[in-house]
């Protein structure tokens, strides 16, 4: 049976990690597997394990509550050196991360998948502002 998977981080995790509200050096970070019925919109709205735990899979060999990651380290990459820059008329899926072709110090995550436009959009340097790009929306 073929399966697919998507790895995603919750928006609140990213916001808290980058503002220092989460101590990544001392935090326990877990990886959990969720059912395919889990709505991706939860990545921007869910904040607590209790809100998603009902969507966790179950089965032999799987650790309920997620598996703690070990040997984690934080790597700092300057946004302007990010390898993947936005391309015109290119398909992007939810969660893809790019930098504008003309780096502005920010990275943008695809929050609505689709095909980027032929013209380069103006990427806002204001956190929380979305950018329409063809049928793609970046945040």
């Amino acid at each position: 049976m073929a399966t697919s998977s998507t790895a995603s981080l919750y928006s609140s995790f990213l916001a808290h990690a980058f503002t220092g509200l989460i101590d990544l050096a001392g935090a326990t970070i877990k990886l959990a597997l969720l059912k395919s019925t889990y709505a991706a919109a939860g990545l921007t709205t869910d904040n607590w394990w209790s809100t998603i735990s009902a969507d966790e899979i179950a089965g032999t060999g799987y650790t309920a509550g997620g598996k703690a990651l070990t040997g984690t380290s934080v790597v700092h990459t300057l946004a302007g050196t990010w390898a993947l820059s936005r391309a015109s008329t290119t398909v992007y899926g939810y969660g893809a991360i790019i930098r504008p072709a003309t780096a502005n110090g920010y990275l943008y995550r695809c929050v609505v998948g689709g095909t980027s436009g032929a013209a380069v959009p103006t990427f806002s340097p204001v956190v929380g502002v979305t950018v329409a790009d063809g049928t793609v929306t970046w945040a």
Side-chain angles (χ1 to χ4, degrees):
M1 170 160 99
T3 60
S4 64
S5 64
T6 301
S8 299
L9 292 174
Y10 287 85
S11 299
S12 59
F13 169 79
L14 294 172
H16 292 145
F18 290 125
T19 58
L21 294 174
I22 296 175
D23 174 14
L24 292 176
T28 298
I29 300 172
K30 290 188 173 186
L31 175 68
L33 300 177
L34 302 179
K35 298 173 189 171
S36 61
T37 54
Y38 178 71
L43 292 171
T44 58
T45 59
D46 293 335
N47 289 306
W48 308 104
W49 176 248
S50 61
T51 61
I52 65 168
S53 60
D55 290 299
E56 183 181 26
I57 67 159
T60 304
Y62 177 74
T63 303
K67 175 76 174 161
L69 302 178
T70 59
T72 58
S73 62
V74 176
V75 177
H76 180 252
T77 302
L78 295 174
T81 63
W82 187 262
L84 185 60
S85 64
R86 179 228 174 253
S88 296
T89 60
T90 301
V91 175
Y92 290 98
Y94 177 85
I97 298 175
I98 57 100
R99 70 169 171 80
T102 302
N104 65 359
Y106 290 88
L107 298 176
Y108 297 84
R109 182 175 59 140
C110 177
V111 294
V112 175
T115 302
S116 60
V120 177
T122 300
F123 284 93
S124 173
V126 178
V127 176
V129 172
T130 59
V131 177
D133 179 13
T135 59
V136 177
T137 301
W138 302 103

